[in-house]
Amino acid sequence: MSHAWTSQVQDYVDELGSTAKQIDRLLKQCRVDTESVKTAELQAVMQQVSEQLATLEEFVARREDLLESADAPQSGHTLTAKLQSLEGDHRPLVERCEQVSRLVADVNHRAVSLFVCQFHLAEFGNQLIRIVAGEEAKGTYTVDGRDSEPGPGGGLLDDVA
């Protein structure tokens, strides 16, 4: 019963790990291209990141299929928990699931951070002009979630300056 399911989980985890490593490599390249101000290269790599992220989204559906499979153990809400509930030694696969899970979480964090940084870099010129001109601008973020009061410059850039 569970051998076919664990085989499917193994294949899933291997493919997910490979995709996450590819995104990791691309994110490292984005950082290098951003620091070197290589705009054309950065755009090409960002396109590849977008394609890989779309692939990663497909893994969510596959994961749900594995969790709801008739062959899957009934106890547990995650692949790791279901594997742990099986009889026998599935420790290597459980550890691989946890390892890939950490990698996906790291890639997610870095992708979001890269997006935020690129957003602010894209707005840098406008913010600089507002600061120099002394124009009123609404801050980008507030610490406590309250509406921010307009002030000179561009909020986050002011804090950095």
Side-chain angles (χ1 to χ4, degrees):
M1 164 186 129
S2 65
H3 180 67
W5 183 79
T6 56
S7 239
Q8 291 173 347
V9 171
Q10 178 71 47
D11 292 344
Y12 169 82
V13 171
D14 289 344
E15 291 174 36
L16 178 60
S18 176
T19 301
K21 284 180 184 177
Q22 176 70 8
I23 295 171
D24 180 56
R25 186 189 64 73
L26 290 169
L27 290 173
K28 287 176 184 173
Q29 185 61 45
C30 282
R31 181 176 178 188
V32 169
D33 290 343
T34 300
E35 290 173 350
S36 304
V37 194
K38 296 180 179 177
T39 306
E41 290 89 344
L42 182 60
Q43 288 175 348
V45 172
M46 286 305 295
Q47 177 62 35
Q48 292 176 358
V49 169
S50 295
E51 292 167 6
Q52 290 296 320
L53 290 174
T55 301
L56 203 56
E57 288 176 6
E58 295 171 10
F59 280 97
V60 174
R62 285 183 58 195
R63 178 183 173 273
E64 290 304 314
D65 289 344
L66 285 169
L67 289 171
E68 296 172 6
S69 172
D71 291 349
Q74 296 304 309
S75 63
H77 298 289
T78 65
L79 294 176
T80 304
K82 287 185 179 279
L83 285 167
Q84 290 171 332
S85 72
L86 290 173
E87 291 182 15
D89 185 20
H90 297 285
R91 210 170 331 142
L93 184 52
V94 168
E95 289 171 0
R96 178 78 173 126
C97 282
E98 291 170 346
Q99 176 191 24
V100 170
S101 175
R102 287 189 300 272
L103 178 59
V104 169
D106 180 58
V107 164
N108 176 58
H109 176 75
R110 290 177 43 227
V112 169
S113 298
L114 180 66
F115 169 78
V116 170
C117 289
Q118 287 185 343
F119 171 80
H120 286 293
L121 283 173
E123 286 295 308
F124 179 74
N126 293 334
Q127 291 177 357
L128 187 59
I129 290 169
R130 281 196 300 268
I131 289 172
V132 171
E135 292 180 10
E136 296 287 315
K138 194 170 188 178
T140 309
Y141 304 107
T142 58
V143 174
D144 56 8
R146 292 184 296 164
D147 288 338
S148 60
E149 298 295 323
L156 183 62
L157 186 58
D158 288 342
D159 294 340
V160 173

